[in-house]
């Protein structure tokens, strides 16, 4: 299926960028809609097992967006300890 192949390529590119940024010591943050399945993708699980990653749920409406839109934020750094939950995936 072309859409699945395209999605897998996008996830692979994101995983590579996250590894590169982390290797360079660059703090990154990735946003995904609350219902996204990206977190379950094997490549992203591989990244999360190797790079300490923090996760926080927000609502875009709390930040002046037109809609509430539930959102996950993933980050390689912990800007405020009380905001992020450490994400770790078992092998």
């Amino acid at each position: 299926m072309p859409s699945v192949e395209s999605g897998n390529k996008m996830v692979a590119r994101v995983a590579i960028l996250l590894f590169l940024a982390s290797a360079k010591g660059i703090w990154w943050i990735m946003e995904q809609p609350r219902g996204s399945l990206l977190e379950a993708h094997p490549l992203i699980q591989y990244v999360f097992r190797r790079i300490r990653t923090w996760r926080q749920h927000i609502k875009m409406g709390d930040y002046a967006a037109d809609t509430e839109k539930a959102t996950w934020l993933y980050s390689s750094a912990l800007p405020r300890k009380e905001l992020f939950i450490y994400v770790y995936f078992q092998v």
Side-chain angles (χ1 to χ4, degrees), residues 3 5-6 9-10 17 20 39 42 55 59 64 72 77-78 88 91:
S3 61
E5 183 178 326
S6 175
K9 285 180 184 178
M10 180 187 63
L17 289 171
L20 286 173
E39 185 178 285
R55 178 177 74 176
K59 291 182 181 175
W72 284 118
L78 183 59
Y88 179 75
V91 176

Side-chain angles (χ1 to χ4, degrees), residues 20-23 26 34 47 53 56 60 62 64 70 77 82-84:
L20 286 173
S22 294
I26 298 169
R34 181 83 187 251
V47 170
T53 305
Q56 174 64 38
M60 294 292 204
D62 294 341
E82 67 274 11
L83 292 180
F84 285 86

Side-chain angles (χ1 to χ4, degrees), residues 31-33 58-61 67-71:
E31 172 270 329
Q32 284 292 296
I58 65 164
K59 291 182 181 175
M60 294 292 204
T67 65
E68 286 296 302
K69 189 182 177 192
T71 303

Side-chain angles (χ1 to χ4, degrees), residues 27-83:
W27 174 72
W28 53 262
I29 190 163
M30 177 177 66
E31 172 270 329
Q32 284 292 296
R34 181 83 187 251
S36 170
L37 298 176
L38 180 68
E39 185 178 285
H41 194 284
L43 284 175
I44 295 299
Q45 289 182 7
Y46 182 84
V47 170
F48 289 167
R49 283 192 304 266
R50 282 152 184 81
I51 300 170
R52 177 171 282 188
T53 305
W54 304 90
R55 178 177 74 176
Q56 174 64 38
H57 172 256
I58 65 164
K59 291 182 181 175
M60 294 292 204
D62 294 341
Y63 299 90
D66 293 336
T67 65
E68 286 296 302
K69 189 182 177 192
T71 303
W72 284 118
L73 298 178
Y74 300 88
S75 176
S76 62
L78 183 59
R80 290 183 54 194
K81 188 174 184 177
E82 67 274 11
L83 292 180

